[in-house]
């Protein structure tokens, strides 16, 4: 029996948290998995798992071996994907983490379009507004809307991104003295609590530096879609992503304020772990999104 088979059996048992669960999940008998793990331990001369009738746990050596063996198997699987890349037969699952802001907006259509054009690839999309740990949580790629900080991840820029400061025409009639960003401190505003700035909004000052205006108002919500709806209703001024604003902006339902004072734009990125061999299915997904944004004039024209 080859070592890789034994290693895979060991990892399956650890991730399923038991021999019985691993056997049900992978269609192998509990006895066979136990045999493979025992043979692996014999080869290593070390106990990897503590086994009792009711408990299951990793030994210290088991923890070390699991972490390293998992990385090695990922590299082997990724290398196989790389070799298959010459073929157009892309298959498998791509686990994607994306903020709700992205998936719920019009630009979320990019992932739907990819799935339609690549029926052999299954997308597992998790909408989460926090920054997930791709390696620890097992994601292949994450969509991030930000000014990207330096990290150990590889990033592919998909499109520029700007936060727009918006109000409804009716609101501006009621607050005609809204002339400078500093005036926002004295009018109702709607804070998107998903944004890192919360109710502290940043603007360029007249000298090119950054000034911060603390705002308050009738609603704080963790959804830019809800924030812009409240803005359209005239409840206050909001700062929301450009791709959320565009549909209402084009219809004249809202207008933008202080455009010459907005801070530098950020971007929408696809990020993925730093791997020597990027799986073909992940590369295909990222390449598709990059091409999709270049063609999506409804978002890109400014």
């Amino acid at each position: 029996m080859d070592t890789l088979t034994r290693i895979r059996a060991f990892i399956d048992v650890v991730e399923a948290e038991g021999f019985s669960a691993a056997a049900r999940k992978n269609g192998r008998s509990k006895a066979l998995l136990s045999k493979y793990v025992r043979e692996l331990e014999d080869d290593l001369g070390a106990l990897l798992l503590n086994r009792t009738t009711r408990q299951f746990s990793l030994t210290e050596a088991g923890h070390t071996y699991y972490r390293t063996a998992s990385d090695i198997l990922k590299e082997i699987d990724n290398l196989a994907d790389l070799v298959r890349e010459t073929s157009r037969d892309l298959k498998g699952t791509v686990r994607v983490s994306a903020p709700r802001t992205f998936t719920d907006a019009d630009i979320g259509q990019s992932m739907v379009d990819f799935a339609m054009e690549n029926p052999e690839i299954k997308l597992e999309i998790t909408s989460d507004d926090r920054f997930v740990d791709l390696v620890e949580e097992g994601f292949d790629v994450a969509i991030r809307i930000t000014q990207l900080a330096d990290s150990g991840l590889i990033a592919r820029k998909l499109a520029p991104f700007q936060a727009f400061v918006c109000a409804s025409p009716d609101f501006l009639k009621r607050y005609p003295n809204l002339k400078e960003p500093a005036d926002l401190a004295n009018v109702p505003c709607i804070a998107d609590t998903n944004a890192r700035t919360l109710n502290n909004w940043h603007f360029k000052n007249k000298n090119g530096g950054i000034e911060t205006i603390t705002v308050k108002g009738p609603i704080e919500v963790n959804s830019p879609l809800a924030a812009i709806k409240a803005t359209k209703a005239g409840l206050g001024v909001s700062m929301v992503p450009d791709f959320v604003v565009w549909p209402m902006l084009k219809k004249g339902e809202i207008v933008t304020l202080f455009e010459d004072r907005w801070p530098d734009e950020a971007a929408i990125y696809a990020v993925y772990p730093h791997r020597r061999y990027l799986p073909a299915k992940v590369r295909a997904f990222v390449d598709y999104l990059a091409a999709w944004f270049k063609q999506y004039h409804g978002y890109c024209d400014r």
Side-chain angles (χ1 to χ4, degrees), residues 18-94:
F19 287 91
S20 298
R24 289 192 297 270
K25 182 177 179 180
N26 295 285
R28 289 180 171 177
S29 71
K30 178 181 176 181
L32 184 61
L33 290 176
S34 180
K35 175 177 177 291
Y36 289 162
V37 173
R38 187 170 59 252
E39 289 175 347
L40 180 62
E41 290 175 325
D42 290 343
D43 286 345
L44 296 171
L47 186 68
L48 301 177
L49 298 174
N50 291 314
R51 309 169 181 81
T52 67
T53 55
R54 294 189 177 183
Q55 292 184 331
F56 166 90
S57 63
L58 284 165
T59 64
E60 183 177 352
H63 278 290
T64 301
Y65 194 81
Y66 171 72
R67 288 194 299 270
T68 305
S70 296
D71 290 340
I72 291 171
L73 279 186
K74 285 179 182 177
E75 290 292 337
I76 291 172
D77 291 340
N78 291 343
L79 177 58
D81 275 339
L82 187 67
V83 172
R84 296 187 191 107
E85 190 175 1
T86 55
S87 166
R88 297 188 63 83
D89 187 22
L90 294 172
K91 295 182 178 180
T93 299
V94 176

Side-chain angles (χ1 to χ4, degrees), residues 101-114:
T101 304
F102 184 93
T103 55
D104 292 348
D106 289 349
I107 56 176
Q109 184 67 34
S110 58
M111 296 188 290
V112 175
D113 290 347
F114 174 83

Side-chain angles (χ1 to χ4, degrees), residues 254-265:
I254 59 168
V255 295
T256 57
L257 308 174
F258 318 128
E259 291 189 24
D260 60 333
R261 303 285 294 277
W262 295 343
D264 294 338
E265 66 182 19

Side-chain angles (χ1 to χ4, degrees), residues 7 10 14 21 26 41 54 114 126 151 157 160 177 190 202 208 223 225 228-229 247 286 288 291 298:
I7 293 174
F10 167 69
V14 172
N26 295 285
E41 290 175 325
R54 294 189 177 183
F114 174 83
T126 299
S151 71
K157 183 177 178 179
N177 295 322
I190 300 159
H202 302 316
S223 165
L225 291 171
I228 198 62
K229 288 179 181 178
V286 174
Y288 185 93

Side-chain angles (χ1 to χ4, degrees), residues 153-189:
L153 300 174
I154 304 301
R156 173 85 174 271
K157 183 177 178 179
L158 302 177
F161 155 74
Q162 180 70 64
F164 282 13
V165 180
C166 306
S168 70
D170 177 67
F171 182 89
L172 295 179
K173 290 177 182 178
R174 289 185 281 122
Y175 294 91
N177 295 322
L178 191 56
K179 304 297 184 182
E180 293 285 332
D183 297 331
L184 291 169
N186 302 312
V187 304
C189 292

